[in-house]
Amino acid sequence: MELYFAPLACSLATRIALYEAGAEAEFTRVDTKTKRVADGSDFLAVNAMGQVPVLRTDDGALLTENPAVLQYVADRYPQSGLAPQGGFERYGLQQWLNFITSELHKVVFIPLLDAKAPEGAKAFAREKAGPRLAYLNDYLDGKDYLLDGFTVADAYLVTVLNWAKPSGIELAEFPAIDAYVRRQHQRPSVAKAFAEELDLYKAEQARRAPPILSRRPA
Ligand SMILES: N[C@@H](CCC(=O)N[C@@H](CS)C(=O)NCC(=O)O)C(=O)O
């Protein structure tokens, strides 16, 4: 399998899932701003939406959209327990994947993180954040995971909650969420994936920052 990813983007969830499953995978870096793959090729030829994650399966098929990609990895490695294999529990997993993707990822975090989003969009996202995080906080109170054990929904949730601080959201106001994030970060797959992508992200930021000597004096 091959995962097209960008450091600390939502594709981190799939990296966590692949580590959890002990899967053999190749990680191919994408610059989502320039739409170039690390080897210089055109990422739009891989995904016309220009977004990560994209998963190339061992058969060469391409899959996009976090909830689908994550469930594919879980089902490809059923022994990992990353998804209930059927029954009502599977709908519970899908309920959370959809909540994370539509209510948190897209409604709250994308407008707050995107430098191009106008202030009106950011204000709207801030207004939506409170009730959604309060709902999640109530749900997580007294629970270690979204379902009975760690699933791909937890991999996705911890990934988007990592964006809270740069979005100006103070998770300390939501103690059950705050405790949940801290616990997830102690999990080896989460800690390894996050540390690796944080290093890549910092290196990318350093490359983008203009060299000090070329800055004009004020
Ligand atoms: N609906 C897609 C959204 C994926 C998404 O928003 N990816 C972001 C990174 S977190 C991205 O690639 N953004 C670049 C862009 O939208 O141009 C999914 O759930 O997979």
Side-chain angles (χ1 to χ4, degrees), residues 136-158:
L136 181 65
N137 192 67
D138 284 352
Y139 178 81
L140 285 175
D141 196 14
K143 291 191 182 68
D144 285 341
Y145 308 103
L146 286 167
L147 302 180
D148 288 343
F150 186 89
T151 66
V152 285
D154 295 297
Y156 194 11
L157 183 57
V158 72

Side-chain angles (χ1 to χ4, degrees), residues 56-100:
R56 192 185 297 277
T57 70
D58 291 340
D59 298 334
L62 292 172
L63 192 61
T64 64
E65 301 297 326
N66 281 291
V69 169
L70 288 167
Q71 289 185 80
Y72 178 86
V73 172
D75 289 342
R76 173 79 175 66
Y77 298 93
Q79 80 294 345
S80 66
L82 283 166
Q85 288 304 297
F88 191 73
E89 289 77 17
R90 186 60 178 245
Y91 298 111
L93 177 81
Q94 290 175 354
Q95 172 188 317
W96 283 111
L97 289 171
N98 281 292
F99 173 81
I100 298 161

Side-chain angles (χ1 to χ4, degrees), residues 5-190:
F5 80 100
L8 299 186
C10 51
S11 44
L12 176 68
T14 304
R15 182 189 288 268
I16 293 170
L18 290 165
Y19 288 172
E20 277 287 330
E24 263 190 40
E26 195 182 323
F27 296 91
T28 301
R29 187 171 172 168
V30 173
D31 185 330
T32 52
K33 289 198 170 57
T34 61
K35 308 296 178 200
R36 291 277 145 200
V37 183
D39 66 3
S41 60
D42 182 10
F43 181 53
L44 295 173
V46 178
N47 179 8
M49 284 292 290
Q51 294 180 323
V52 292
V54 178
L55 191 75
R56 192 185 297 277
T57 70
D58 291 340
D59 298 334
L62 292 172
L63 192 61
T64 64
E65 301 297 326
N66 281 291
V69 169
L70 288 167
Q71 289 185 80
Y72 178 86
V73 172
D75 289 342
R76 173 79 175 66
Y77 298 93
Q79 80 294 345
S80 66
L82 283 166
Q85 288 304 297
F88 191 73
E89 289 77 17
R90 186 60 178 245
Y91 298 111
L93 177 81
Q94 290 175 354
Q95 172 188 317
W96 283 111
L97 289 171
N98 281 292
F99 173 81
I100 298 161
T101 206
S102 61
E103 303 297 337
L104 297 180
H105 183 175
K106 286 293 160 176
V107 168
V108 172
F109 288 112
I110 292 294
L112 292 177
L113 290 171
D114 191 331
K116 288 192 191 138
E119 186 43 45
K122 291 186 188 295
F124 180 80
R126 277 192 288 271
E127 189 189 310
K128 296 289 172 193
R132 281 156 180 74
L133 292 173
Y135 165 78
L136 181 65
N137 192 67
D138 284 352
Y139 178 81
L140 285 175
D141 196 14
K143 291 191 182 68
D144 285 341
Y145 308 103
L146 286 167
L147 302 180
D148 288 343
F150 186 89
T151 66
V152 285
D154 295 297
Y156 194 11
L157 183 57
V158 72
T159 294
V160 303
L161 291 174
N162 279 336
W163 304 331
K165 205 176 172 129
S167 302
I169 292 174
E170 193 43 77
L171 285 187
E173 290 171 21
F174 305 95
I177 299 180
D178 199 29
Y180 168 88
V181 171
R182 287 173 200 277
R183 257 193 328 274
Q184 298 310 327
H185 271 270
Q186 285 166 8
R187 199 173 175 88
S189 63
V190 176

